[in-house]
Amino acid sequence: MYHVKLLLKYTIREQIFYEESILQVDADSFDAAYQKAENYVSRMIEPQRKNMYGDTVHCSIVDYLDCFQSDNIEDDVQEVYSRIFQNRFGLSEKELEKCLGDSSTREEMLPLRYFPDQNEI
């Protein structure tokens, strides 16, 4: 089993949101996992759609960031993702934690909410 991590970008007017996504992919190799992930994302991502306010939400793929294999399950626990990195910017641990854990609030994410086309209902 492989997992492919990608970064998506959503733009609504002047607002920009990023989404890290990890896809679980049944594949025989890293190359096959990337290919399956790319095929899936190209079918599932809507390049643009309307949100609940009638604004156009543009979605694009920034990059496929990582691919990793995870087969080991021990004691009912499986590590899905792990990343080792260096703090090249000299941030304090508090600043680093804030950057890594910075998420949008519910209110900030309202513009991303999908507004279905009434003709499709």
Side-chain angles (χ1 to χ4, degrees):
M1 191 65 59
Y2 290 85
H3 295 78
V4 177
K5 182 178 178 182
L6 62 138
L7 183 63
L8 301 170
K9 178 181 178 179
Y10 298 94
T11 306
I12 308 150
R13 296 185 185 191
E14 295 83 37
Q15 287 183 292
I16 297 175
F17 296 87
Y18 292 95
E19 177 184 3
E20 284 181 295
S21 181
I22 298 175
L23 305 175
Q24 182 173 302
V25 181
D26 187 13
D28 296 328
S29 68
F30 285 96
D31 290 339
Y34 271 119
Q35 187 61 54
K36 281 186 171 185
E38 288 173 5
N39 292 343
Y40 173 81
V41 171
S42 69
R43 287 191 324 269
M44 300 307 290
I45 295 293
E46 293 179 89
Q48 58 183 17
R49 62 175 171 80
K50 295 289 185 184
N51 68 7
M52 59 191 276
Y53 303 110
D55 298 321
T56 301
V57 178
H58 299 274
C59 179
S60 60
I61 302 162
V62 175
D63 202 0
Y64 291 85
L65 303 173
D66 200 359
C67 182
F68 53 97
Q69 191 172 12
S70 61
D71 291 325
N72 300 357
I73 298 177
E74 189 172 317
D75 298 325
D76 296 326
V77 175
Q78 180 179 19
E79 182 177 73
V80 174
Y81 187 74
S82 175
R83 172 172 78 142
I84 297 173
F85 59 93
Q86 293 181 327
N87 181 358
R88 289 185 167 79
F89 299 104
L91 300 173
S92 70
E93 285 188 358
K94 197 67 157 169
E95 292 169 323
L96 185 61
E97 182 182 345
K98 186 176 184 318
C99 288
L100 294 173
D102 188 22
S103 297
S104 297
T105 65
R106 178 186 179 281
E107 290 76 22
E108 289 171 331
M109 291 188 57
L110 283 176
L112 286 175
R113 290 211 173 155
Y114 181 71
F115 185 74
D117 183 347
Q118 294 300 315
N119 297 327
E120 296 177 5
I121 297 177

